[in-house]
Each structure stands twice: as structure tokens, then as C-alpha cells.
Amino acid sequence: RAAARAALQGKRAEAVADLEAQLQRLADSESEQTLVLDSMRAQVEALSAHSSMLRETVGELNAAVVAARNPAGNAEDSMLLAEEPVKTEEVEMALNVHEALLAFSPWSVVRTSAEQWIVDMPRGRRLQVSISPVGSVTQIGFRDMRPGERDVFEDALWASSRVDALLCQVTLLKQLPVALSEISFRVCRIDGLLKELDVLSKRFSVQRGVSETGAPRVSACALNAAANYKIGIDMQVQWHYPAGRIDYTTEWFVGEGDEELVADVMTRHSCGQHRLSRILKDLSGH
């Protein structure tokens, strides 16, 4: 009877552990959905805030079209010309402008006009775009508004994202919307990782740098008093974090090394938001 009772208690303990794991996964999923909804709300608010700038830019474009049609400035001729059908290339340019400005919407727009757009993006980088009347991108690039404030880790993340290379490929206005959407996505990923590390550094001994090959890496220590171990873990991350594989190495300072335990933790947190935070909390027994 004692053996049967012990076996039953063991099964109950396993069932409770499985249930707790399922509840934790549900909580992580709910947290991730909340983050997505918050991000969508922020984008909607940004679109509303920039609507007036969009209208002003469209007004300037219309004025530029009228001026181009009537360079002599004759008011009577201008009225006659304004009644002419709008050309296909003008409609296409207006649509490209609209799509490009929508891609700017999550960021802080400093200036928009028919000739130049200036947008502040995260981490002190200002994007400047100059456009010709015929729809060519004459100048495009980032201006560093906080020179000397970034560490090698952030520089390595930015370099691996190849954002600057994406900008170099843009020569026409119609290429800008797609490029800006991809750039915004990559900058968001980098910004999210850096913000997560800023929070983690307040709870764990976190260091960030680059590997011998120049890859961005994060090192941290996790102390688990209940399991009687202290482990150091070194993880390589990329700009597309939290997506993708995280390669890691470990160093055991206290307790017997249990690499299966670490592998299990890494597998449980192989996707979703705040993976590094969840990995370190799990290893610490929280």
C-alpha cells in the first residue's frame, strides 16, 4: 500500500508540474499577444498624430504640380490647365508618397515636404530623404544624433541588420515604401532587444559585447539557491531576435554541471517575446 500511495503521489506531482507548465505557456502567450496589441495601438495613435502632416504634404505636392504646369504664372492659364486630366505618373507618385509616409508612421516625423522628409528613429538615428520633382531619391541616409554613446554590441547589431545596405538600394520613390517597411521592422527588433537588456541588467549580472568573430553576444549569471547551483551562460543573438536560434555556452561555478537542464530551458523558450528574460528567470528558479 505504501508503494502504491507513493506511486500515486508521484503521478499527482507530475500532473501538477505539467499543469503548471501549461499555465506558464498560456501566460507567456497572453503576454506576447498583449505586447502585439499595444504595438498596434501605438501605430494607430502615431497614424492619427501624423495625419495633418500627410495632408500638408499632399497640399504641397498639388501646388508643385500646378506650378509645374504653369511656370509662367498666368492665373487664367493656370485655371485652364488645372482642369486637364491628371497624368498617370502623377497619380503613381502620389500613391508612392502616401505609402512611404505610412511606413514612417511609427516614428517621430521631424519634417515632411515635397522635397525632403526627416524622421527620428530609435537609438538616436535620424533618417533623411531628399526627393526630386520627378520622383527620384537624390539623397538618403542616417544621421547619428548621439555619436559616441553606443557600445560595440549595439554597433554589431546594427551592422548585422544591413539597414544601411537596404538604404543604398533605394534610388526611386516607388522603391521607398517597401524598403522603409523592412527597415522599420529591423530597427524595431534591435530596439526591443536593447530595451530588454536594459531591464535585465537591473536584476541579473548581464554583460554585452561581441565574440571573436564579431557576433553580438550576451553573458549572464543565474543563481538557483533551491537547486544549489550557479551557472554562467554566454549567448549569441542577432538583430532578428527574438526569432531564430540562440547559440550558447555554459560555465558552472557551483553545483554539478547539468547540460540537459540548460538544453531543456532553451527549448522551452525557443520562441516568443522576451526570451532572454524567460531563460534567465527559469535558470534562476523564478
Side-chain angles (χ1 to χ4, degrees), residues 16-278:
V16 170
D18 290 340
L19 180 59
E20 289 178 347
Q22 292 178 14
L23 291 174
Q24 182 61 47
R25 285 194 292 270
L26 287 173
D28 292 341
S29 176
E30 182 179 0
S31 175
E32 183 174 351
Q33 291 176 5
T34 301
L35 289 171
V36 172
L37 289 174
D38 290 342
S39 176
M40 292 178 67
R41 290 192 189 99
Q43 291 186 16
V44 170
E45 292 174 358
L47 283 170
S48 299
H50 297 151
S51 61
S52 60
M53 291 186 178
L54 294 177
R55 286 193 292 269
E56 291 176 2
T57 300
V58 171
E60 291 182 8
L61 287 172
N62 289 334
V65 169
V66 172
R69 287 173 171 177
N70 186 36
N74 186 296
E76 184 177 353
D77 291 344
S78 177
M79 292 178 64
L80 293 172
L81 290 170
E83 294 177 357
E84 294 180 358
V86 178
K87 297 180 181 179
T88 303
E89 56 267 23
E90 293 170 354
V91 175
E92 182 181 358
M93 182 173 179
L95 289 173
N96 289 331
V97 168
H98 176 68
E99 292 179 4
L101 290 174
L102 285 179
F104 279 139
S105 62
W107 314 120
S108 176
V109 177
V110 178
R111 177 187 176 188
T112 58
S113 68
E115 298 84 18
Q116 187 180 51
W117 301 338
I118 301 176
V119 182
D120 281 344
M121 305 187 84
R123 321 307 297 189
R125 298 184 189 273
R126 174 168 289 184
L127 178 61
Q128 297 178 320
V129 183
S130 298
I131 305 165
S132 72
V134 295
S136 298
V137 176
T138 57
Q139 184 178 5
I140 186 169
F142 284 102
R143 179 183 176 187
D144 192 350
M145 305 302 291
R146 294 188 335 208
E149 294 186 16
R150 300 180 185 85
D151 56 16
V152 292
F153 176 83
E154 184 173 345
D155 288 339
L157 277 179
W158 185 268
S160 66
S161 72
R162 295 182 56 79
V163 168
D164 293 312
L166 289 174
L167 283 182
C168 291
Q169 298 173 8
V170 177
T171 57
L172 299 174
L173 180 61
K174 64 181 181 181
Q175 299 171 335
L176 197 55
V178 175
L180 287 178
S181 296
E182 181 62 25
I183 289 169
S184 294
F185 170 75
R186 299 189 183 199
V187 172
C188 274
R189 288 296 176 95
I190 294 174
D191 187 50
L193 171 56
L194 293 171
K195 287 180 177 178
E196 181 181 356
L197 290 177
D198 289 340
V199 174
L200 270 180
S201 62
K202 299 176 182 178
R203 299 189 56 185
F204 297 92
S205 176
V206 176
Q207 295 181 341
R208 58 196 207 186
V210 296
S211 66
E212 294 180 355
T213 60
R217 51 178 286 275
V218 176
S219 300
C221 285
L223 175 63
N224 191 323
N228 192 32
Y229 70 73
K230 180 180 181 182
I231 181 177
I233 184 167
D234 187 283
M235 297 170 282
Q236 290 192 11
V237 294
Q238 297 297 330
W239 68 264
H240 46 68
Y241 170 89
R245 176 184 175 87
I246 296 180
D247 293 323
Y248 68 94
T249 57
T250 59
E251 182 178 0
W252 295 83
F253 301 110
V254 177
E256 296 183 3
D258 188 348
E259 294 300 328
E260 290 186 2
L261 180 148
V262 180
D264 182 56
V265 169
M266 300 297 288
T267 300
R268 284 202 301 272
H269 305 297
S270 59
C271 61
Q273 297 292 326
H274 301 133
R275 288 174 65 189
L276 294 178
S277 302
R278 290 186 281 125

